[in-house]
Amino acid sequence: MASSNYTTRNARMEDLPILLDFEQRLIKAERPFDITIREDPVSYYDIKAMIDNDNACVLVIEHEGDIVASGYAITKRARHYLDHEEYAYLGFMYTLPDFRGKGLNARIIESLKEWADSKGLSEMRLTVYEDNIPAVKAYEKVGFKKHISEMRLE
């Protein structure tokens, strides 16, 4: 999928240093929304394992040879009482600040939806901090709907 000098492709092992940097940027951006995130060093994902996993799809978007956005989908088992056995869980949605507002997140999600469809997964879910209004709006714009709220008591 290429247009306007943007190319969506599967992540490769040689992308790992950039993707690990994106992960740290994502954690830094999400820290204000979650006081329970441990102090550094902390990692959310095993990106290397996901790149090699047939039940996962890690995508990047390149612009003029540089990676500017990322996202993944992984097959997860649904709770036994739901009407589907498995679903595609999305995460690692990150776009460099200079490239936000250009529809790159929507491109990643559309490509991940195609991957999920190819795996027979009709349900897609993701987790977003409720107070992260720009992220919530971006996901709603591509069709996601709020579904459940997680609450905590300290």
mmCIF file with all atom_site columns, all heavy atoms in Angstrom, residues 94-117:
data_model
loop_
_atom_site.group_PDB
_atom_site.id
_atom_site.type_symbol
_atom_site.label_atom_id
_atom_site.label_alt_id
_atom_site.label_comp_id
_atom_site.label_asym_id
_atom_site.label_entity_id
_atom_site.label_seq_id
_atom_site.pdbx_PDB_ins_code
_atom_site.Cartn_x
_atom_site.Cartn_y
_atom_site.Cartn_z
_atom_site.occupancy
_atom_site.B_iso_or_equiv
_atom_site.pdbx_formal_charge
_atom_site.auth_seq_id
_atom_site.auth_comp_id
_atom_site.auth_asym_id
_atom_site.auth_atom_id
_atom_site.pdbx_PDB_model_num
ATOM 1   N N   . TYR A 1 94  ? 1.747   4.052   17.163 1.00 0.00 ? 94  TYR A N   1
ATOM 2   C CA  . TYR A 1 94  ? 2.567   5.237   17.409 1.00 0.00 ? 94  TYR A CA  1
ATOM 3   C C   . TYR A 1 94  ? 2.888   5.904   16.083 1.00 0.00 ? 94  TYR A C   1
ATOM 4   O O   . TYR A 1 94  ? 3.240   5.232   15.100 1.00 0.00 ? 94  TYR A O   1
ATOM 5   C CB  . TYR A 1 94  ? 3.872   4.880   18.131 1.00 0.00 ? 94  TYR A CB  1
ATOM 6   C CG  . TYR A 1 94  ? 4.683   6.115   18.438 1.00 0.00 ? 94  TYR A CG  1
ATOM 7   C CD1 . TYR A 1 94  ? 4.333   6.930   19.503 1.00 0.00 ? 94  TYR A CD1 1
ATOM 8   C CD2 . TYR A 1 94  ? 5.748   6.499   17.636 1.00 0.00 ? 94  TYR A CD2 1
ATOM 9   C CE1 . TYR A 1 94  ? 5.037   8.101   19.772 1.00 0.00 ? 94  TYR A CE1 1
ATOM 10  C CE2 . TYR A 1 94  ? 6.457   7.660   17.891 1.00 0.00 ? 94  TYR A CE2 1
ATOM 11  C CZ  . TYR A 1 94  ? 6.098   8.457   18.962 1.00 0.00 ? 94  TYR A CZ  1
ATOM 12  O OH  . TYR A 1 94  ? 6.780   9.611   19.222 1.00 0.00 ? 94  TYR A OH  1
ATOM 13  N N   . THR A 1 95  ? 2.786   7.221   16.070 1.00 0.00 ? 95  THR A N   1
ATOM 14  C CA  . THR A 1 95  ? 3.155   8.033   14.911 1.00 0.00 ? 95  THR A CA  1
ATOM 15  C C   . THR A 1 95  ? 4.050   9.163   15.402 1.00 0.00 ? 95  THR A C   1
ATOM 16  O O   . THR A 1 95  ? 3.736   9.811   16.411 1.00 0.00 ? 95  THR A O   1
ATOM 17  C CB  . THR A 1 95  ? 1.907   8.621   14.220 1.00 0.00 ? 95  THR A CB  1
ATOM 18  O OG1 . THR A 1 95  ? 1.050   7.543   13.823 1.00 0.00 ? 95  THR A OG1 1
ATOM 19  C CG2 . THR A 1 95  ? 2.282   9.430   12.994 1.00 0.00 ? 95  THR A CG2 1
ATOM 20  N N   . LEU A 1 96  ? 5.159   9.380   14.715 1.00 0.00 ? 96  LEU A N   1
ATOM 21  C CA  . LEU A 1 96  ? 6.031   10.496  15.080 1.00 0.00 ? 96  LEU A CA  1
ATOM 22  C C   . LEU A 1 96  ? 5.236   11.804  15.049 1.00 0.00 ? 96  LEU A C   1
ATOM 23  O O   . LEU A 1 96  ? 4.383   11.993  14.170 1.00 0.00 ? 96  LEU A O   1
ATOM 24  C CB  . LEU A 1 96  ? 7.216   10.590  14.112 1.00 0.00 ? 96  LEU A CB  1
ATOM 25  C CG  . LEU A 1 96  ? 8.283   9.505   14.246 1.00 0.00 ? 96  LEU A CG  1
ATOM 26  C CD1 . LEU A 1 96  ? 9.299   9.616   13.099 1.00 0.00 ? 96  LEU A CD1 1
ATOM 27  C CD2 . LEU A 1 96  ? 9.000   9.590   15.590 1.00 0.00 ? 96  LEU A CD2 1
ATOM 28  N N   . PRO A 1 97  ? 5.507   12.715  15.983 1.00 0.00 ? 97  PRO A N   1
ATOM 29  C CA  . PRO A 1 97  ? 4.713   13.953  16.083 1.00 0.00 ? 97  PRO A CA  1
ATOM 30  C C   . PRO A 1 97  ? 4.570   14.728  14.774 1.00 0.00 ? 97  PRO A C   1
ATOM 31  O O   . PRO A 1 97  ? 3.479   15.216  14.463 1.00 0.00 ? 97  PRO A O   1
ATOM 32  C CB  . PRO A 1 97  ? 5.467   14.764  17.141 1.00 0.00 ? 97  PRO A CB  1
ATOM 33  C CG  . PRO A 1 97  ? 6.117   13.729  18.004 1.00 0.00 ? 97  PRO A CG  1
ATOM 34  C CD  . PRO A 1 97  ? 6.498   12.610  17.058 1.00 0.00 ? 97  PRO A CD  1
ATOM 35  N N   . ASP A 1 98  ? 5.625   14.842  13.980 1.00 0.00 ? 98  ASP A N   1
ATOM 36  C CA  . ASP A 1 98  ? 5.557   15.611  12.733 1.00 0.00 ? 98  ASP A CA  1
ATOM 37  C C   . ASP A 1 98  ? 4.649   14.984  11.678 1.00 0.00 ? 98  ASP A C   1
ATOM 38  O O   . ASP A 1 98  ? 4.336   15.618  10.668 1.00 0.00 ? 98  ASP A O   1
ATOM 39  C CB  . ASP A 1 98  ? 6.953   15.795  12.128 1.00 0.00 ? 98  ASP A CB  1
ATOM 40  C CG  . ASP A 1 98  ? 7.815   16.764  12.924 1.00 0.00 ? 98  ASP A CG  1
ATOM 41  O OD1 . ASP A 1 98  ? 7.279   17.466  13.808 1.00 0.00 ? 98  ASP A OD1 1
ATOM 42  O OD2 . ASP A 1 98  ? 9.033   16.813  12.667 1.00 0.00 ? 98  ASP A OD2 1
ATOM 43  N N   . PHE A 1 99  ? 4.234   13.738  11.892 1.00 0.00 ? 99  PHE A N   1
ATOM 44  C CA  . PHE A 1 99  ? 3.432   13.022  10.897 1.00 0.00 ? 99  PHE A CA  1
ATOM 45  C C   . PHE A 1 99  ? 2.007   12.753  11.370 1.00 0.00 ? 99  PHE A C   1
ATOM 46  O O   . PHE A 1 99  ? 1.245   12.084  10.685 1.00 0.00 ? 99  PHE A O   1
ATOM 47  C CB  . PHE A 1 99  ? 4.139   11.718  10.504 1.00 0.00 ? 99  PHE A CB  1
ATOM 48  C CG  . PHE A 1 99  ? 5.422   11.966  9.779  1.00 0.00 ? 99  PHE A CG  1
ATOM 49  C CD1 . PHE A 1 99  ? 6.609   12.123  10.477 1.00 0.00 ? 99  PHE A CD1 1
ATOM 50  C CD2 . PHE A 1 99  ? 5.451   12.098  8.402  1.00 0.00 ? 99  PHE A CD2 1
ATOM 51  C CE1 . PHE A 1 99  ? 7.805   12.383  9.815  1.00 0.00 ? 99  PHE A CE1 1
ATOM 52  C CE2 . PHE A 1 99  ? 6.633   12.359  7.727  1.00 0.00 ? 99  PHE A CE2 1
ATOM 53  C CZ  . PHE A 1 99  ? 7.815   12.502  8.436  1.00 0.00 ? 99  PHE A CZ  1
ATOM 54  N N   . ARG A 1 100 ? 1.649   13.281  12.522 1.00 0.00 ? 100 ARG A N   1
ATOM 55  C CA  . ARG A 1 100 ? 0.292   13.092  13.037 1.00 0.00 ? 100 ARG A CA  1
ATOM 56  C C   . ARG A 1 100 ? -0.697  13.942  12.248 1.00 0.00 ? 100 ARG A C   1
ATOM 57  O O   . ARG A 1 100 ? -0.340  14.959  11.689 1.00 0.00 ? 100 ARG A O   1
ATOM 58  C CB  . ARG A 1 100 ? 0.252   13.432  14.528 1.00 0.00 ? 100 ARG A CB  1
ATOM 59  C CG  . ARG A 1 100 ? 1.060   12.418  15.322 1.00 0.00 ? 100 ARG A CG  1
ATOM 60  C CD  . ARG A 1 100 ? 1.077   12.675  16.794 1.00 0.00 ? 100 ARG A CD  1
ATOM 61  N NE  . ARG A 1 100 ? 2.007   11.706  17.387 1.00 0.00 ? 100 ARG A NE  1
ATOM 62  C CZ  . ARG A 1 100 ? 2.597   11.862  18.540 1.00 0.00 ? 100 ARG A CZ  1
ATOM 63  N NH1 . ARG A 1 100 ? 2.353   12.942  19.282 1.00 0.00 ? 100 ARG A NH1 1
ATOM 64  N NH2 . ARG A 1 100 ? 3.429   10.941  18.997 1.00 0.00 ? 100 ARG A NH2 1
ATOM 65  N N   . GLY A 1 101 ? -1.938  13.468  12.218 1.00 0.00 ? 101 GLY A N   1
ATOM 66  C CA  . GLY A 1 101 ? -2.982  14.200  11.493 1.00 0.00 ? 101 GLY A CA  1
ATOM 67  C C   . GLY A 1 101 ? -2.981  13.948  9.994  1.00 0.00 ? 101 GLY A C   1
ATOM 68  O O   . GLY A 1 101 ? -3.678  14.630  9.250  1.00 0.00 ? 101 GLY A O   1
ATOM 69  N N   . LYS A 1 102 ? -2.220  12.963  9.538  1.00 0.00 ? 102 LYS A N   1
ATOM 70  C CA  . LYS A 1 102 ? -2.138  12.656  8.110  1.00 0.00 ? 102 LYS A CA  1
ATOM 71  C C   . LYS A 1 102 ? -2.838  11.342  7.756  1.00 0.00 ? 102 LYS A C   1
ATOM 72  O O   . LYS A 1 102 ? -2.690  10.842  6.653  1.00 0.00 ? 102 LYS A O   1
ATOM 73  C CB  . LYS A 1 102 ? -0.672  12.599  7.672  1.00 0.00 ? 102 LYS A CB  1
ATOM 74  C CG  . LYS A 1 102 ? 0.065   13.912  7.893  1.00 0.00 ? 102 LYS A CG  1
ATOM 75  C CD  . LYS A 1 102 ? 1.505   13.825  7.428  1.00 0.00 ? 102 LYS A CD  1
ATOM 76  C CE  . LYS A 1 102 ? 2.317   15.056  7.743  1.00 0.00 ? 102 LYS A CE  1
ATOM 77  N NZ  . LYS A 1 102 ? 1.758   16.311  7.310  1.00 0.00 ? 102 LYS A NZ  1
ATOM 78  N N   . GLY A 1 103 ? -3.568  10.768  8.731  1.00 0.00 ? 103 GLY A N   1
ATOM 79  C CA  . GLY A 1 103 ? -4.291  9.535   8.468  1.00 0.00 ? 103 GLY A CA  1
ATOM 80  C C   . GLY A 1 103 ? -3.455  8.270   8.535  1.00 0.00 ? 103 GLY A C   1
ATOM 81  O O   . GLY A 1 103 ? -3.903  7.206   8.083  1.00 0.00 ? 103 GLY A O   1
ATOM 82  N N   . LEU A 1 104 ? -2.253  8.365   9.088  1.00 0.00 ? 104 LEU A N   1
ATOM 83  C CA  . LEU A 1 104 ? -1.384  7.186   9.124  1.00 0.00 ? 104 LEU A CA  1
ATOM 84  C C   . LEU A 1 104 ? -1.913  6.122   10.073 1.00 0.00 ? 104 LEU A C   1
ATOM 85  O O   . LEU A 1 104 ? -1.818  4.919   9.788  1.00 0.00 ? 104 LEU A O   1
ATOM 86  C CB  . LEU A 1 104 ? 0.050   7.585   9.491  1.00 0.00 ? 104 LEU A CB  1
ATOM 87  C CG  . LEU A 1 104 ? 0.717   8.597   8.535  1.00 0.00 ? 104 LEU A CG  1
ATOM 88  C CD1 . LEU A 1 104 ? 2.163   8.841   8.933  1.00 0.00 ? 104 LEU A CD1 1
ATOM 89  C CD2 . LEU A 1 104 ? 0.614   8.146   7.090  1.00 0.00 ? 104 LEU A CD2 1
ATOM 90  N N   . ASN A 1 105 ? -2.467  6.534   11.213 1.00 0.00 ? 105 ASN A N   1
ATOM 91  C CA  . ASN A 1 105 ? -3.053  5.587   12.154 1.00 0.00 ? 105 ASN A CA  1
ATOM 92  C C   . ASN A 1 105 ? -4.188  4.815   11.467 1.00 0.00 ? 105 ASN A C   1
ATOM 93  O O   . ASN A 1 105 ? -4.293  3.593   11.600 1.00 0.00 ? 105 ASN A O   1
ATOM 94  C CB  . ASN A 1 105 ? -3.566  6.337   13.388 1.00 0.00 ? 105 ASN A CB  1
ATOM 95  C CG  . ASN A 1 105 ? -4.026  5.418   14.484 1.00 0.00 ? 105 ASN A CG  1
ATOM 96  O OD1 . ASN A 1 105 ? -3.296  4.536   14.917 1.00 0.00 ? 105 ASN A OD1 1
ATOM 97  N ND2 . ASN A 1 105 ? -5.246  5.626   14.955 1.00 0.00 ? 105 ASN A ND2 1
ATOM 98  N N   . ALA A 1 106 ? -5.005  5.514   10.699 1.00 0.00 ? 106 ALA A N   1
ATOM 99  C CA  . ALA A 1 106 ? -6.101  4.868   9.976  1.00 0.00 ? 106 ALA A CA  1
ATOM 100 C C   . ALA A 1 106 ? -5.563  3.876   8.952  1.00 0.00 ? 106 ALA A C   1
ATOM 101 O O   . ALA A 1 106 ? -6.135  2.791   8.761  1.00 0.00 ? 106 ALA A O   1
ATOM 102 C CB  . ALA A 1 106 ? -6.977  5.916   9.291  1.00 0.00 ? 106 ALA A CB  1
ATOM 103 N N   . ARG A 1 107 ? -4.462  4.220   8.295  1.00 0.00 ? 107 ARG A N   1
ATOM 104 C CA  . ARG A 1 107 ? -3.848  3.301   7.320  1.00 0.00 ? 107 ARG A CA  1
ATOM 105 C C   . ARG A 1 107 ? -3.368  2.032   7.995  1.00 0.00 ? 107 ARG A C   1
ATOM 106 O O   . ARG A 1 107 ? -3.552  0.932   7.480  1.00 0.00 ? 107 ARG A O   1
ATOM 107 C CB  . ARG A 1 107 ? -2.662  3.976   6.621  1.00 0.00 ? 107 ARG A CB  1
ATOM 108 C CG  . ARG A 1 107 ? -3.049  4.951   5.551  1.00 0.00 ? 107 ARG A CG  1
ATOM 109 C CD  . ARG A 1 107 ? -1.829  5.575   4.962  1.00 0.00 ? 107 ARG A CD  1
ATOM 110 N NE  . ARG A 1 107 ? -1.097  4.598   4.166  1.00 0.00 ? 107 ARG A NE  1
ATOM 111 C CZ  . ARG A 1 107 ? -0.464  4.876   3.051  1.00 0.00 ? 107 ARG A CZ  1
ATOM 112 N NH1 . ARG A 1 107 ? -0.467  6.102   2.585  1.00 0.00 ? 107 ARG A NH1 1
ATOM 113 N NH2 . ARG A 1 107 ? 0.179   3.955   2.397  1.00 0.00 ? 107 ARG A NH2 1
ATOM 114 N N   . ILE A 1 108 ? -2.715  2.207   9.145  1.00 0.00 ? 108 ILE A N   1
ATOM 115 C CA  . ILE A 1 108 ? -2.226  1.029   9.888  1.00 0.00 ? 108 ILE A CA  1
ATOM 116 C C   . ILE A 1 108 ? -3.415  0.155   10.293 1.00 0.00 ? 108 ILE A C   1
ATOM 117 O O   . ILE A 1 108 ? -3.393  -1.065  10.102 1.00 0.00 ? 108 ILE A O   1
ATOM 118 C CB  . ILE A 1 108 ? -1.420  1.466   11.134 1.00 0.00 ? 108 ILE A CB  1
ATOM 119 C CG1 . ILE A 1 108 ? -0.136  2.157   10.719 1.00 0.00 ? 108 ILE A CG1 1
ATOM 120 C CG2 . ILE A 1 108 ? -1.185  0.296   12.069 1.00 0.00 ? 108 ILE A CG2 1
ATOM 121 C CD1 . ILE A 1 108 ? 1.151   1.414   10.904 1.00 0.00 ? 108 ILE A CD1 1
ATOM 122 N N   . ILE A 1 109 ? -4.455  0.773   10.840 1.00 0.00 ? 109 ILE A N   1
ATOM 123 C CA  . ILE A 1 109 ? -5.614  0.007   11.292 1.00 0.00 ? 109 ILE A CA  1
ATOM 124 C C   . ILE A 1 109 ? -6.272  -0.714  10.119 1.00 0.00 ? 109 ILE A C   1
ATOM 125 O O   . ILE A 1 109 ? -6.649  -1.884  10.237 1.00 0.00 ? 109 ILE A O   1
ATOM 126 C CB  . ILE A 1 109 ? -6.607  0.903   12.055 1.00 0.00 ? 109 ILE A CB  1
ATOM 127 C CG1 . ILE A 1 109 ? -5.990  1.297   13.410 1.00 0.00 ? 109 ILE A CG1 1
ATOM 128 C CG2 . ILE A 1 109 ? -7.949  0.199   12.254 1.00 0.00 ? 109 ILE A CG2 1
ATOM 129 C CD1 . ILE A 1 109 ? -6.766  2.328   14.196 1.00 0.00 ? 109 ILE A CD1 1
ATOM 130 N N   . GLU A 1 110 ? -6.392  -0.061  8.983  1.00 0.00 ? 110 GLU A N   1
ATOM 131 C CA  . GLU A 1 110 ? -6.991  -0.707  7.811  1.00 0.00 ? 110 GLU A CA  1
ATOM 132 C C   . GLU A 1 110 ? -6.161  -1.922  7.378  1.00 0.00 ? 110 GLU A C   1
ATOM 133 O O   . GLU A 1 110 ? -6.711  -2.979  7.074  1.00 0.00 ? 110 GLU A O   1
ATOM 134 C CB  . GLU A 1 110 ? -7.126  0.284   6.649  1.00 0.00 ? 110 GLU A CB  1
ATOM 135 C CG  . GLU A 1 110 ? -7.843  -0.281  5.448  1.00 0.00 ? 110 GLU A CG  1
ATOM 136 C CD  . GLU A 1 110 ? -9.238  -0.831  5.732  1.00 0.00 ? 110 GLU A CD  1
ATOM 137 O OE1 . GLU A 1 110 ? -9.970  -0.254  6.567  1.00 0.00 ? 110 GLU A OE1 1
ATOM 138 O OE2 . GLU A 1 110 ? -9.606  -1.856  5.113  1.00 0.00 ? 110 GLU A OE2 1
ATOM 139 N N   . SER A 1 111 ? -4.846  -1.786  7.382  1.00 0.00 ? 111 SER A N   1
ATOM 140 C CA  . SER A 1 111 ? -3.985  -2.918  7.018  1.00 0.00 ? 111 SER A CA  1
ATOM 141 C C   . SER A 1 111 ? -4.077  -4.033  8.061  1.00 0.00 ? 111 SER A C   1
ATOM 142 O O   . SER A 1 111 ? -4.063  -5.220  7.706  1.00 0.00 ? 111 SER A O   1
ATOM 143 C CB  . SER A 1 111 ? -2.541  -2.456  6.852  1.00 0.00 ? 111 SER A CB  1
ATOM 144 O OG  . SER A 1 111 ? -2.425  -1.592  5.745  1.00 0.00 ? 111 SER A OG  1
ATOM 145 N N   . LEU A 1 112 ? -4.169  -3.666  9.338  1.00 0.00 ? 112 LEU A N   1
ATOM 146 C CA  . LEU A 1 112 ? -4.313  -4.681  10.385 1.00 0.00 ? 112 LEU A CA  1
ATOM 147 C C   . LEU A 1 112 ? -5.672  -5.370  10.284 1.00 0.00 ? 112 LEU A C   1
ATOM 148 O O   . LEU A 1 112 ? -5.793  -6.566  10.561 1.00 0.00 ? 112 LEU A O   1
ATOM 149 C CB  . LEU A 1 112 ? -4.110  -4.063  11.769 1.00 0.00 ? 112 LEU A CB  1
ATOM 150 C CG  . LEU A 1 112 ? -2.682  -3.589  12.051 1.00 0.00 ? 112 LEU A CG  1
ATOM 151 C CD1 . LEU A 1 112 ? -2.616  -2.861  13.393 1.00 0.00 ? 112 LEU A CD1 1
ATOM 152 C CD2 . LEU A 1 112 ? -1.687  -4.748  12.008 1.00 0.00 ? 112 LEU A CD2 1
ATOM 153 N N   . LYS A 1 113 ? -6.686  -4.632  9.864  1.00 0.00 ? 113 LYS A N   1
ATOM 154 C CA  . LYS A 1 113 ? -8.009  -5.224  9.654  1.00 0.00 ? 113 LYS A CA  1
ATOM 155 C C   . LYS A 1 113 ? -7.939  -6.263  8.532  1.00 0.00 ? 113 LYS A C   1
ATOM 156 O O   . LYS A 1 113 ? -8.509  -7.352  8.649  1.00 0.00 ? 113 LYS A O   1
ATOM 157 C CB  . LYS A 1 113 ? -9.038  -4.143  9.325  1.00 0.00 ? 113 LYS A CB  1
ATOM 158 C CG  . LYS A 1 113 ? -10.451 -4.665  9.200  1.00 0.00 ? 113 LYS A CG  1
ATOM 159 C CD  . LYS A 1 113 ? -11.421 -3.526  8.902  1.00 0.00 ? 113 LYS A CD  1
ATOM 160 C CE  . LYS A 1 113 ? -12.849 -3.971  8.816  1.00 0.00 ? 113 LYS A CE  1
ATOM 161 N NZ  . LYS A 1 113 ? -13.112 -5.209  8.134  1.00 0.00 ? 113 LYS A NZ  1
ATOM 162 N N   . GLU A 1 114 ? -7.221  -5.948  7.470  1.00 0.00 ? 114 GLU A N   1
ATOM 163 C CA  . GLU A 1 114 ? -7.040  -6.906  6.374  1.00 0.00 ? 114 GLU A CA  1
ATOM 164 C C   . GLU A 1 114 ? -6.335  -8.161  6.875  1.00 0.00 ? 114 GLU A C   1
ATOM 165 O O   . GLU A 1 114 ? -6.705  -9.284  6.517  1.00 0.00 ? 114 GLU A O   1
ATOM 166 C CB  . GLU A 1 114 ? -6.261  -6.268  5.224  1.00 0.00 ? 114 GLU A CB  1
ATOM 167 C CG  . GLU A 1 114 ? -7.041  -5.194  4.496  1.00 0.00 ? 114 GLU A CG  1
ATOM 168 C CD  . GLU A 1 114 ? -6.187  -4.405  3.504  1.00 0.00 ? 114 GLU A CD  1
ATOM 169 O OE1 . GLU A 1 114 ? -5.052  -4.838  3.190  1.00 0.00 ? 114 GLU A OE1 1
ATOM 170 O OE2 . GLU A 1 114 ? -6.662  -3.342  3.048  1.00 0.00 ? 114 GLU A OE2 1
ATOM 171 N N   . TRP A 1 115 ? -5.303  -7.984  7.711  1.00 0.00 ? 115 TRP A N   1
ATOM 172 C CA  . TRP A 1 115 ? -4.588  -9.122  8.280  1.00 0.00 ? 115 TRP A CA  1
ATOM 173 C C   . TRP A 1 115 ? -5.553  -9.954  9.137  1.00 0.00 ? 115 TRP A C   1
ATOM 174 O O   . TRP A 1 115 ? -5.599  -11.182 9.024  1.00 0.00 ? 115 TRP A O   1
ATOM 175 C CB  . TRP A 1 115 ? -3.391  -8.648  9.120  1.00 0.00 ? 115 TRP A CB  1
ATOM 176 C CG  . TRP A 1 115 ? -2.702  -9.769  9.833  1.00 0.00 ? 115 TRP A CG  1
ATOM 177 C CD1 . TRP A 1 115 ? -1.735  -10.599 9.327  1.00 0.00 ? 115 TRP A CD1 1
ATOM 178 C CD2 . TRP A 1 115 ? -2.939  -10.202 11.176 1.00 0.00 ? 115 TRP A CD2 1
ATOM 179 N NE1 . TRP A 1 115 ? -1.359  -11.519 10.275 1.00 0.00 ? 115 TRP A NE1 1
ATOM 180 C CE2 . TRP A 1 115 ? -2.087  -11.295 11.421 1.00 0.00 ? 115 TRP A CE2 1
ATOM 181 C CE3 . TRP A 1 115 ? -3.788  -9.776  12.191 1.00 0.00 ? 115 TRP A CE3 1
ATOM 182 C CZ2 . TRP A 1 115 ? -2.061  -11.966 12.635 1.00 0.00 ? 115 TRP A CZ2 1
ATOM 183 C CZ3 . TRP A 1 115 ? -3.760  -10.443 13.415 1.00 0.00 ? 115 TRP A CZ3 1
ATOM 184 C CH2 . TRP A 1 115 ? -2.906  -11.521 13.630 1.00 0.00 ? 115 TRP A CH2 1
ATOM 185 N N   . ALA A 1 116 ? -6.331  -9.283  10.007 1.00 0.00 ? 116 ALA A N   1
ATOM 186 C CA  . ALA A 1 116 ? -7.285  -9.983  10.871 1.00 0.00 ? 116 ALA A CA  1
ATOM 187 C C   . ALA A 1 116 ? -8.293  -10.761 10.037 1.00 0.00 ? 116 ALA A C   1
ATOM 188 O O   . ALA A 1 116 ? -8.599  -11.925 10.337 1.00 0.00 ? 116 ALA A O   1
ATOM 189 C CB  . ALA A 1 116 ? -7.986  -8.989  11.796 1.00 0.00 ? 116 ALA A CB  1
ATOM 190 N N   . ASP A 1 117 ? -8.801  -10.143 8.981  1.00 0.00 ? 117 ASP A N   1
ATOM 191 C CA  . ASP A 1 117 ? -9.747  -10.826 8.089  1.00 0.00 ? 117 ASP A CA  1
ATOM 192 C C   . ASP A 1 117 ? -9.114  -12.079 7.494  1.00 0.00 ? 117 ASP A C   1
ATOM 193 O O   . ASP A 1 117 ? -9.756  -13.124 7.398  1.00 0.00 ? 117 ASP A O   1
ATOM 194 C CB  . ASP A 1 117 ? -10.217 -9.897  6.973  1.00 0.00 ? 117 ASP A CB  1
ATOM 195 C CG  . ASP A 1 117 ? -11.165 -8.802  7.449  1.00 0.00 ? 117 ASP A CG  1
ATOM 196 O OD1 . ASP A 1 117 ? -11.703 -8.904  8.580  1.00 0.00 ? 117 ASP A OD1 1
ATOM 197 O OD2 . ASP A 1 117 ? -11.355 -7.828  6.689  1.00 0.00 ? 117 ASP A OD2 1
#
